[in-house]
Amino acid sequence: MLLPDKKRVLDAVLERMNESWSQMMGAAQRTREGATHAEAKPENEKDTRALEQTYLARGQAARAQEITEQMHVLRFMPLRVYGQDDPIGAGALISLEGDDDTERCLFLSPHGGGTEVQVDDVDILVVTPASSMGRAVLGRVLGDDVELRLRNKQRTYSITAVR
């Protein structure tokens, strides 16, 4: 598998995170407006709908702030070039070949785990060091084999490329 340019991969991840941020901010704004709308006025002392919406809006805004901070970290994350004998770390773009001849491309990142992007017709899964896949490849080098349990199956992957 020919690995795409890491900068373009990072840009695609940031774009996807920005989309999530926009959705979260829109949801927070709509929830806040619903909480302050005239129809949300409590009908009696036990009616807590507006209060609940306020709590929800606050949580959505906090999540949007968290995404903002994560994007900031990724924007300034160094994208070092990994050599054959360099241990895999943050910012590595990794190609894995499975024992069943499947290929996977991973981007090891401190944030954005689970995000999937496509760059140059290559599907890339963002994994964090806290994930099982991230832990499996962290510190490994080109040519190493890693064992993963995915979907209740034990699989072996070889690291075939690192950028």
Side-chain angles (χ1 to χ4, degrees):
M1 172 186 308
L2 185 60
L3 294 174
D5 178 65
K6 270 201 287 194
K7 176 68 172 123
R8 292 186 58 218
V9 171
L10 180 59
D11 288 344
V13 171
L14 286 167
E15 183 178 328
R16 187 67 50 86
M17 289 178 80
N18 193 53
E19 290 168 5
S20 294
W21 176 86
S22 293
Q23 290 172 352
M24 193 59 61
M25 287 302 292
Q29 181 63 31
R30 287 187 299 279
T31 304
R32 191 176 310 112
E33 289 168 359
T36 58
H37 193 274
E39 291 179 12
K41 192 172 188 170
E43 296 174 5
N44 59 51
E45 69 272 354
K46 295 186 192 239
D47 187 353
T48 60
R49 287 177 291 174
L51 182 62
E52 290 167 4
Q53 284 185 316
T54 302
Y55 289 151
L56 178 59
R58 196 174 305 151
Q60 291 167 326
R63 176 65 183 128
Q65 179 61 36
E66 186 178 298
I67 292 171
T68 299
E69 292 167 7
Q70 291 174 354
M71 289 189 311
H72 182 74
V73 168
L74 293 183
R75 274 192 195 100
F76 295 101
M77 180 176 71
L79 292 176
R80 66 175 276 221
V81 177
Y82 287 88
Q84 281 186 302
D85 298 322
D86 293 335
I88 292 172
L93 190 59
I94 308 146
S95 176
L96 301 174
E97 187 175 314
D99 50 11
D100 57 356
D101 292 329
T102 59
E103 289 185 314
R104 298 197 71 144
C105 186
L106 307 177
F107 182 62
L108 188 61
S109 170
H111 302 292
T115 302
E116 294 183 59
V117 296
Q118 189 176 66
V119 177
D120 298 336
D121 295 323
V122 177
D123 294 323
I124 302 156
L125 175 65
V126 178
V127 296
T128 64
S131 70
S132 60
M133 281 188 133
R135 282 191 310 271
V137 297
L138 188 65
R140 301 295 180 106
V141 295
L142 182 65
D144 280 354
D145 288 339
V146 294
E147 290 191 12
L148 293 167
R149 186 160 192 81
L150 301 172
R151 297 184 192 105
N152 272 344
K153 278 186 151 179
Q154 191 70 23
R155 298 182 191 259
T156 302
Y157 288 92
S158 294
I159 300 172
T160 56
V162 179
R163 174 178 279 178

